[in-house]
Amino acid sequence: MKKLLITGGHKLHGVIVPDGSKNSALACIAAACLATDNNIVVLKNIPDISDINIMCQIVRMLGKKVIFDNNTIIINGFFTNCTIPSTMTTKLRASLYFWGVLIASTGEINCGLPGGDKIGNRPIDIHISALQKMGVHFDIADNAIRANVTNRLEGQNIYLKYPSVGATCNIMLAASKARGKTVIINAAREPEIIDLSNFLTKMGIQITGAGTERIVLYGNSHIHGNVVHEIIPDRIETGVLAIASAITYGNVIIRKSIPYHNYALLYLLSEIGIEIAIAGDNIHIQNTRKLKAFNASMMPFPGIATDLQPIITVMATQANGTSSIIDYVFPERFQYISELQLMGAEIERHYNTLRLHGKSQLKENTVTGNDIRAVTALMCAGLVAEGTTELYGLHHLYRGYSDLEQKLNNIGANIVTE
């Protein structure tokens, strides 16, 4: 089993560029399959990570042709089946995006239930109820889903009880070929929704309101390929790089980012003593002072993303005083705290709230990350820990990041893969 050896105490210094957005790329790969002609769809700035490779395998399994090379994906061809085995769906929660795509394109699906990170309750009822309203009939048994629509999907007014990013994407994908107008009320407002909307617009779908709580979409039974789209930068990786720079008392420029996507985080960093300078698509992070304790809440966009919660917890261990972190999105996303405690962190948990007493001098230990964001946070904990930290769970890291350890090494970290 591979592990990382992370020697702490090194300041980060230099220039770094985040990959394209994992979450946006997964939705756009599914959207590319909506094309009804045989023209190619080209997606650029795709991160070379295992989740993307699994998504490409599913597309091929469904009959489409896929080429993935040099951070570019080319897709064309037609569906030849509508079955995705559970051996594939359990590896990737984004496999559920094919519900909307396949039902809209073939009229049916037959697939296993989606997998993904074990970060608490992640219900699929919002997806099911929305698609049912559009005319889909579901049969769920033995950890499998079979669904079909008698005729063409019907556009509807759909209210989401929670602004789920996944459900918003799925409805947009299904509605792209539905008859008439679909209105999504209480839609997710995340940047990945806007990116998906921009891509679907290039393919001929009329959409308004992406990025607001009300999205209006007019379906089209003929969606064209012959489209080139570049995926937005990954705001979560950008946030990780910003925090890693801050906690190591670094001086780092993050290039080719979209600063607006991380305004809530950057505001928090400035409040606790980090110098932030924004110029175009560059974010300059510099820390020369002790970090102040803080209170932070993880919320849907434009709040701080729940995916950054574990690494914000690491940052709190390095702040002087008592900090409080609340996660309103995934209140069970705290399995990693026992690993941080092994390293010397003082953490108390009360349901969806953490209280941290700092500053803690983290010390070397052997720790394991059990999801993408947890293993990333533990890697960054190793950057400030005394001694050399052994980190396991790298298969999770490689699901979400391409060579993150090498990127950090390029700006002064000391991380060795064994």
Side-chain angles (χ1 to χ4, degrees), residues 105-257:
S105 301
T106 71
E108 59 181 321
I109 57 170
N110 180 9
C111 63
L113 292 174
D117 287 332
K118 308 302 181 185
I119 53 176
N121 190 29
R122 306 179 78 182
I124 58 175
D125 61 307
I126 301 177
H127 299 257
I128 291 172
S129 61
L131 292 171
Q132 283 176 328
K133 191 166 185 181
M134 298 175 76
V136 180
H137 308 285
F138 281 91
D139 178 20
I140 304 175
D142 301 323
N143 291 319
I145 288 183
R146 294 175 177 81
N148 65 79
V149 60
T150 304
N151 296 301
R152 187 177 168 188
L153 291 171
E154 296 289 342
Q156 298 287 344
N157 291 340
I158 298 172
Y159 173 79
L160 299 182
K161 63 182 181 181
Y162 179 84
S164 161
V165 174
T168 301
C169 287
N170 222 348
I171 297 165
M172 291 171 67
L173 295 169
S176 293
K177 286 188 176 180
R179 183 183 289 110
K181 180 174 76 171
T182 297
V183 181
I184 309 172
I185 303 163
N186 197 31
R189 295 185 285 168
E190 273 71 3
E192 295 79 12
I193 299 295
I194 299 174
D195 200 29
L196 175 61
S197 174
N198 290 339
F199 178 44
L200 289 172
T201 299
K202 291 179 182 179
M203 297 178 74
I205 306 301
Q206 184 181 343
I207 307 174
T208 59
T212 75
E213 63 180 15
R214 185 176 185 272
I215 299 175
V216 179
L217 190 151
Y218 294 87
N220 185 345
S221 60
H222 299 288
I223 299 176
H224 64 80
N226 197 25
V227 170
V228 178
H229 181 73
E230 183 166 336
I231 299 298
I232 59 174
D234 195 306
R235 63 191 174 104
I236 307 304
E237 183 177 352
T238 299
V240 168
L241 297 174
I243 294 172
S245 304
I247 62 177
T248 60
Y249 293 89
N251 185 356
V252 173
I253 297 174
I254 305 170
R255 286 192 174 159
K256 297 183 181 179
S257 67

Side-chain angles (χ1 to χ4, degrees), residues 347-364:
I347 307 174
E348 302 169 12
R349 180 189 170 189
H350 306 279
Y351 183 52
N352 69 337
T353 302
L354 298 181
R355 288 177 63 81
L356 292 99
H357 308 286
K359 177 182 177 181
S360 299
Q361 177 53 65
L362 301 182
K363 297 183 183 297
E364 64 181 12

Side-chain angles (χ1 to χ4, degrees), residues 278-338:
I278 297 173
D281 62 2
N282 296 332
I283 304 172
H284 186 185
I285 308 287
Q286 186 171 11
N287 183 20
T288 58
R289 292 177 284 181
K290 295 179 179 180
L291 301 181
K292 301 175 187 176
F294 59 88
N295 298 323
S297 298
M298 311 301 114
M299 296 183 290
F301 191 83
I304 300 175
T306 178
D307 284 348
L308 291 173
Q309 180 246 99
I311 192 171
I312 288 175
T313 300
V314 173
M315 183 169 70
T317 71
Q318 301 306 293
N320 290 282
T322 300
S323 298
S324 174
I325 298 170
I326 305 175
D327 196 328
Y328 290 108
V329 181
F330 287 119
E332 298 297 323
R333 190 180 211 144
F334 293 119
Q335 296 96 325
Y336 66 91
I337 63 174
S338 60

Side-chain angles (χ1 to χ4, degrees), residues 38-59:
N38 196 31
N39 290 327
I40 64 171
V41 177
V42 179
L43 296 172
K44 295 185 175 182
N45 199 29
I46 302 291
D48 189 1
I49 56 178
S50 60
D51 272 13
I52 295 295
N53 283 291
I54 293 170
M55 199 73 167
C56 290
Q57 290 177 42
I58 293 174
V59 174

